[in-house]
Amino acid sequence: MSTSPFVVLPSSHARAVDTFPASDELCQLLQEQIRGEVRFDPASKALYATDASNYRHVPIGVVIPRDEEDVINTVALCRRFNAPLLTRGAGTSLAGQGCNFAVILDFSKYMNGMDAIDTVNRTVKVQPGIVLDRVRDEAEKFNLTFAPDPATHSRCTIGGMIGNNSCGVHALMGGKTVDNILTLDLLLYDGTRLTVGPTTEAELAAHIGAGGRTGEIYATLKNIRDTYAAKVREKFPNIPRRVSGFNLDELLPENSFNLARALVGSEGTCAIILGATLQLVESPPCRTLIGVGFSDIFIAADHVTQILQYKPIGLEGMDGYLLDALRRKQKSVADLALLPPGDGFLIVEFGGSTQAEANAKARALAAYLKTLSPEPNTRIYTSAEAKRVWHIRESGLGATAFIPGVGTGWEGWEDAAVDPTQLGSYLRQIAALMKEFNYRSAMYGHFGQGCVHMRHNFDLETPAGILKFRQFMDLAADIALAHGGSLSGEHGDGQARGALLPKMFGPELMDAFRSFKRVFDPNNRMNPNKLIDAHEPHEDLRLGADYRPWQPKTHFAFAENNGSFADANLRCVGVGACRKTDAGTMCPSFMATGEELHSTRGRAHLLWELMQGEILPDQWKNKQVKESLDLCLACKACKSECPVSVDMATYKAEFLAHHYEGENRPLSHYAFGRIDIFARIASHAPHLVNAINNAPILRSIVKKLLHIHPNRTFPRFSQPFTPDRRLARDPRRRRDRRIPLPPEAPEVFLWADTFNNYFHPSAMRAAHQVLTTAGFRVTLPTQHLCCGRPLYDFGMLDTAKDYLLKTLGALTAQLQAGTPIVVLEPSCASVFRDELTNLFPHDPRAAKLRDQTFLLSEFLVKHAPNYKPPQIDDKIIVHGHCHHRATMGMHDELALLRLTGAEVELLDSGCCGMAGPFGFEKDKYDLSQKLGERVLLPAVRNKSVNTILVTDGFSCAEQITQNTTAKPMHLAEVLAQRAEP
């Protein structure tokens, strides 16, 4: 192994939690003087102790201001106590600049407004907490956009983008954030207010002549410019992606002494941004994407400069290792087939005012590529295909952050940039260094601007591993600088690269950087020791050589996480995909509350801190952790939508199982958790039970006892669909008998789940008819069985395991024979496909049941190739149950419905908000309704009379029927009601 000339000793993360002596007094005064939220409690500190980086700093406290006055008052009080400050956006920073021992200002909840877009000047003024996609969505109405668009565009804030000088795919079209800022409204730590932007020499002289604090700032900055101008021109690399260091080049005369742009990328170390005026650019309305496959990523990089001559608006690269990581994680697997053959890929986007113009540009590039020897493989995509290919690229960070069977990929050397002409050489040398250090990483990113992302399998838990990591960082920096590059090309320096800046800029410019910071922040109170005078990259690690988390015994196996609950919660790397609010299902509670506490990331961070035992006390009995998990709907969407597959539904069940050990549970836990028992009893006299449930006095008493909201109605019990009752009572049984089934007809076992069997037997009856029509001999349970799904919501895992063992025993014959088991309720199917093997990892019966379980749509598509669904002329809209989407996917259901000839629309409705017992609980009713009203319920109310509404989830159907007059149908009912006898 090469040795670094910069010798360091391995330093672990500072395990002791720093204290601020005046914390309580500061907290009290803040609560008295601001309208916003003041949070100095342990859980809030735990939530903000890390960002998406390797680093951890427990903050003094968190302030969520409502307006500028709150910010001014907060800064004044912090100044009184000499408390450091850190402004934070979405918390997705990768270099550690988003965490510090400071009072954190989080603007994302309230200070997220924007003015009307000025379409003449193509500008818009925004507050720092606004999410990028909100700005872009409004701008696109006028064929405009904010050009920088990092992969976190669905949750990153403009303030955070300004702090980090963010870029993204279309920086190739419109530049980095710094190139798209007109003015900034600033508040300094000393209380000074400034609005800054480009400054003429006359204006500069006037500012200086006015004196005071403003005059002092401009005079000092002019002196910095005049003193260091020659060094700036000499040492600042002339490449598209120089993000490292302060933007002193923006103070040069040729750049109009633009102080706003000089402060972009300062990572909160100089000033607080209260507002910004953004420059918008034209957004090509028509786009065409072409994929190019080379034999390896290095050859792909060699061809970047030639491709740039064709003027694309986006040019991204990714290697075969990234695709392998996605396959291992079962992410975007169907989409990967869209990429042309190869092991190194470029995806090139062209824009135009017409589709013909964009297509012509793509064809011109394709024609050029055909002249190369060897000729790369190319594919021009439709707009629908292009969306899927872009999704692969945007999955890069999540795909490489955690790879099953490989482990965690850590940031550190993840965004260096060089001139695109040097890219192939740079990547070859970095690959050689990685091989020397036995590190692995995918290579992907913004190849058109020479910026490549990586995440390496660093060992950050042993002294030797940490020293090796530090040596690698030093040598990698040498390689990038030897290619005329920048240590950071997008994510900023922070703590990951701040200590390396002297290698890039030299001592004179480092003095200039310090002077630049001090003119704004002379007492070093703004995000101290980040970027300037930074702590070493190997200090303050979230892990570290003394990382020894609590390793409690668990019910679930957590096999993919080395059997460790602590390791499971370490999966979250903070990219914040759970903070999106515009699409998908994850994370429904965050969509409703906007609280970090209720995001998947927030809960994972709390659980991780719980395993450390430093901030959060009482282990499993911690009440703040339970409060956070209480609003988790256990939708399981995080398992599929989270880039690293955090499984919060499982973590919640595990935590609650231990939280209630030795304690009495609320009565509602038993009533809802053991609903199968009560439903079975009620089935003997369902009409009588329904009458009792709806008697006004008794209904009120039961609701009060079970903590059910007054607006909820009890689902109605029915006579179950069991073999004896079906044959005795079903008037359509003769129709079943008229379907000739040969003796050798294959057997299928129809699972009689609690919800469809005791509440919605028409779905069971319909499924039986459909399967029989399809040529299968249908068998049913001969005893009461239940998967125990409601038990997981309350952590009643010992009982759940008993239920599953009973099921495995009862299905012995079917499991041995390989009989397919069709389950109608998606949440029950997900127990067999997911929780079962996590609870019984070594029981071969569990694996068999997992593999033999199918939803009705899956079974018909995969095992009944001759089945033809009835023809349907009406439109069908589909709401997918969360577990259906997360565990099985909706592809087979949609494919089967489309075979009917109907127009089929899948609603992007996310979680319905009912989620089993969740929506019935009194204190969760409002949130449940808010989630239902987000997309699903308005779509149901607005559907036409003849439109068929399909949802297979019992809870989803309940949310619809309890809020609308619509009558949703199970897939089985849709197929059966129109089938030929």
Side-chain angles (χ1 to χ4, degrees), residues 674-704:
R674 303 294 296 270
I675 185 63
D676 68 297
I677 300 298
F678 300 111
R680 185 186 182 196
I681 294 171
S683 70
H684 295 291
H687 300 297
L688 175 61
V689 176
N690 291 334
I692 293 172
N693 281 346
N694 287 283
I697 296 177
L698 289 175
R699 180 177 60 207
S700 297
I701 293 172
V702 172
K703 285 185 177 181
K704 187 173 182 179

Side-chain angles (χ1 to χ4, degrees), residues 70-342:
D70 272 357
V71 181
I72 293 168
N73 290 335
T74 298
V75 173
L77 285 170
C78 287
R79 184 168 64 248
R80 175 175 164 184
F81 290 92
N82 198 34
L85 274 168
L86 165 61
T87 53
R88 171 163 156 152
T92 59
S93 294
L94 286 159
Q97 59 268 55
C99 57
N100 212 330
F101 177 66
V103 174
I104 294 179
L105 285 164
D106 183 346
F107 296 125
S108 62
K109 187 173 182 180
Y110 298 120
M111 293 184 65
N112 54 20
M114 65 182 294
D115 291 350
I117 292 175
D118 181 344
T119 57
V120 175
N121 295 305
R122 296 182 175 180
T123 63
V124 63
K125 187 169 183 179
V126 301
Q127 290 183 302
I130 192 168
V131 170
L132 170 61
D133 271 359
R134 278 192 57 203
V135 176
R136 296 203 306 168
D137 289 345
E138 286 299 311
E140 286 290 352
K141 296 175 182 177
F142 309 100
N143 283 336
L144 300 173
T145 192
F146 188 63
D149 58 344
T152 54
H153 53 81
S154 65
R155 62 269 192 195
C156 68
T157 66
I158 293 294
M161 293 180 69
I162 294 170
N164 292 348
N165 196 4
S166 298
C167 306
V169 171
H170 293 106
L172 185 64
M173 174 180 71
K176 307 184 292 292
T177 296
V178 66
D179 303 309
N180 296 275
I181 297 296
L182 288 179
T183 66
L184 295 177
D185 297 330
L186 306 176
L187 172 67
L188 306 188
Y189 189 84
D190 63 10
T192 301
R193 292 288 303 271
L194 293 169
T195 297
V196 298
T199 312
T200 66
E201 289 299 311
E203 289 170 334
L204 179 57
H207 284 312
I208 295 171
R213 179 74 170 108
T214 300
E216 174 194 357
I217 290 171
Y218 278 96
T220 304
L221 292 173
K222 180 179 183 298
N223 183 59
I224 292 173
R225 179 196 69 177
D226 294 344
T227 302
Y228 296 101
K231 274 293 179 185
V232 169
R233 294 187 180 102
E234 173 193 347
K235 297 288 289 185
F236 274 46
N238 184 23
I239 60 175
R241 288 292 189 97
R242 194 277 308 157
V243 169
S244 283
F246 288 125
N247 296 330
L248 298 187
D249 54 329
E250 295 291 348
L251 298 180
L252 298 176
E254 57 265 34
N255 292 325
S256 303
F257 199 92
N258 195 324
L259 185 49
R261 293 185 174 184
L263 284 165
V264 172
S266 57
E267 301 181 4
T269 61
C270 296
I272 295 168
I273 298 168
L274 296 177
T277 303
L278 312 181
Q279 181 69 64
L280 304 177
V281 299
E282 182 178 354
S283 177
C286 301
R287 306 187 182 200
T288 302
L289 190 69
I290 179 171
V292 189
F294 295 89
S295 58
D296 63 42
I297 196 63
F298 310 113
I299 295 175
D302 292 337
H303 287 84
V304 164
T305 52
Q306 296 95 317
I307 293 174
L308 285 173
Q309 296 175 15
Y310 290 82
K311 306 299 182 185
I313 63 172
L315 173 50
E316 300 290 291
M318 49 191 174
D319 65 2
Y321 187 67
L322 173 62
L323 274 58
D324 291 341
L326 286 168
R327 292 188 186 98
R328 281 176 175 264
K329 295 161 74 75
Q330 290 296 296
K331 301 277 188 182
S332 305
V333 175
D335 299 336
L336 296 179
L338 292 172
L339 292 172

Side-chain angles (χ1 to χ4, degrees), residues 455-770:
R455 291 185 74 95
H456 297 89
N457 55 322
F458 299 131
D459 168 12
L460 301 179
E461 297 184 43
T462 67
I466 294 168
L467 177 58
K468 181 180 174 183
F469 154 70
R470 182 60 181 86
Q471 291 171 330
F472 176 86
M473 290 285 289
D474 200 52
L475 294 170
D478 291 340
I479 292 173
L481 297 178
H483 286 83
S486 173
L487 303 178
S488 172
E490 181 164 32
H491 301 153
D493 299 309
Q495 188 168 343
R497 289 168 289 277
L500 298 172
L501 290 178
K503 295 172 72 74
M504 178 174 174
F505 292 104
E508 292 180 81
L509 283 181
M510 291 307 298
D511 286 342
F513 290 162
R514 291 187 185 94
S515 297
F516 183 83
K517 172 177 168 59
R518 285 171 186 157
V519 70
F520 298 102
D521 180 33
N523 296 316
N524 194 27
R525 295 292 80 192
M526 295 296 300
N527 204 10
N529 304 115
K530 297 295 170 76
L531 199 154
I532 295 300
D533 299 323
H535 289 180
E536 288 286 344
H538 59 288
E539 293 183 291
D540 311 309
L541 294 172
R542 187 179 177 194
L543 301 183
D546 54 354
Y547 176 61
R548 299 291 184 273
W550 178 40
Q551 299 286 1
K553 184 178 179 181
T554 59
H555 293 273
F556 289 104
F558 298 108
E560 287 189 351
N561 302 105
N562 306 310
S564 166
F565 189 66
D567 283 6
N569 287 285
L570 188 58
R571 288 175 83 109
C572 177
V573 293
V575 297
C578 47
R579 287 177 59 96
K580 60 182 171 58
T581 59
D582 58 338
T585 303
M586 179 184 72
C587 174
S589 48
F590 178 81
M591 288 183 179
T593 69
E595 288 281 353
E596 179 74 9
L597 181 73
H598 299 137
S599 69
T600 304
R601 180 179 72 178
R603 294 182 177 114
H605 283 176
L606 285 182
L607 289 168
W608 185 86
E609 290 288 354
L610 193 71
M611 298 297 103
Q612 312 317 304
E614 296 173 352
I615 309 175
L616 300 174
D618 303 328
Q619 296 184 332
W620 295 122
K621 302 298 182 180
N622 187 279
K623 293 182 179 179
Q624 287 191 297
V625 174
K626 180 183 180 296
E627 175 191 349
S628 173
L629 292 169
D630 198 41
L631 290 190
C632 170
L633 289 89
C635 67
K636 301 181 78 70
C638 49
K639 185 158 187 180
S640 60
E641 292 184 30
C642 170
V644 291
S645 301
V646 167
D647 186 4
M648 193 52 61
T650 297
Y651 304 169
K652 174 185 178 180
E654 186 70 55
F655 175 87
L656 291 177
H658 299 285
H659 183 81
Y660 284 105
E661 283 177 348
E663 295 184 12
N664 293 324
R665 289 175 171 272
L667 180 61
S668 59
H669 287 205
Y670 299 101
F672 286 119
R674 303 294 296 270
I675 185 63
D676 68 297
I677 300 298
F678 300 111
R680 185 186 182 196
I681 294 171
S683 70
H684 295 291
H687 300 297
L688 175 61
V689 176
N690 291 334
I692 293 172
N693 281 346
N694 287 283
I697 296 177
L698 289 175
R699 180 177 60 207
S700 297
I701 293 172
V702 172
K703 285 185 177 181
K704 187 173 182 179
L705 287 173
L706 299 183
H707 199 61
I708 295 174
H709 195 276
N711 290 355
R712 289 300 186 199
T713 57
F714 293 111
R716 297 184 65 82
F717 293 99
S718 296
Q719 289 185 340
F721 183 81
T722 51
D724 54 333
R725 289 183 185 269
R726 180 182 63 81
L727 293 174
R729 301 176 184 273
D730 186 3
R732 290 186 291 182
R733 58 192 169 93
R734 286 186 291 272
R735 173 183 293 183
D736 292 344
R737 288 179 174 176
R738 286 204 303 268
I739 300 173
L741 291 177
E744 65 273 14
E747 179 187 355
V748 61
F749 185 89
L750 180 59
W751 176 259
D753 67 89
T754 294
F755 306 108
N756 284 303
N757 196 35
Y758 294 116
F759 293 99
H760 194 191
S762 60
M764 290 285 295
R765 186 179 301 114
H768 188 278
Q769 178 182 333
V770 169

Side-chain angles (χ1 to χ4, degrees), residues 756 760 763 823-827 855-857 878-881 884 890 893 897 950-957 968-974:
N756 284 303
H760 194 191
V823 181
L824 303 183
E825 170 58 43
S827 64
L855 292 175
L856 178 63
S857 55
V878 181
H879 166 74
H881 185 284
H884 193 160
M890 297 296 297
E893 181 120 347
L897 286 171
V950 176
T951 184
D952 295 344
F954 177 77
S955 292
C956 308
M969 301 178 70
H970 192 283
L971 170 70
E973 295 174 295
V974 174

Side-chain angles (χ1 to χ4, degrees), residues 860-878:
L860 291 174
V861 169
K862 293 180 171 65
H863 293 276
N866 297 323
Y867 173 73
K868 294 181 179 180
Q871 292 301 291
I872 298 175
D873 296 328
D874 300 325
K875 179 180 179 180
I876 299 174
I877 62 174
V878 181

Side-chain angles (χ1 to χ4, degrees), residues 366-507:
Y368 161 72
L369 294 171
K370 288 182 178 296
T371 68
L372 300 180
S373 181
E375 179 185 342
N377 299 293
T378 61
R379 178 169 179 174
I380 298 178
Y381 300 107
T382 65
S383 58
E385 291 172 337
K387 185 177 180 180
R388 295 167 61 191
V389 173
W390 278 126
H391 181 69
I392 297 173
R393 166 59 190 87
E394 290 187 355
S395 300
L397 191 156
T400 56
F402 178 84
I403 304 175
V406 176
T408 299
W410 299 102
E411 66 88 10
W413 192 255
E414 88 290 340
D415 78 322
V418 298
D419 190 286
T421 62
Q422 298 289 309
L423 188 57
S425 173
Y426 165 71
L427 291 183
R428 287 180 175 90
Q429 291 193 34
I430 284 292
L433 183 66
M434 288 163 53
K435 183 177 181 180
E436 184 179 349
F437 275 70
N438 198 27
Y439 289 150
R440 297 186 68 185
S441 174
M443 296 180 177
Y444 63 98
H446 315 296
F447 277 42
Q449 293 193 310
C451 179
V452 180
H453 298 316
M454 305 179 194
R455 291 185 74 95
H456 297 89
N457 55 322
F458 299 131
D459 168 12
L460 301 179
E461 297 184 43
T462 67
I466 294 168
L467 177 58
K468 181 180 174 183
F469 154 70
R470 182 60 181 86
Q471 291 171 330
F472 176 86
M473 290 285 289
D474 200 52
L475 294 170
D478 291 340
I479 292 173
L481 297 178
H483 286 83
S486 173
L487 303 178
S488 172
E490 181 164 32
H491 301 153
D493 299 309
Q495 188 168 343
R497 289 168 289 277
L500 298 172
L501 290 178
K503 295 172 72 74
M504 178 174 174
F505 292 104

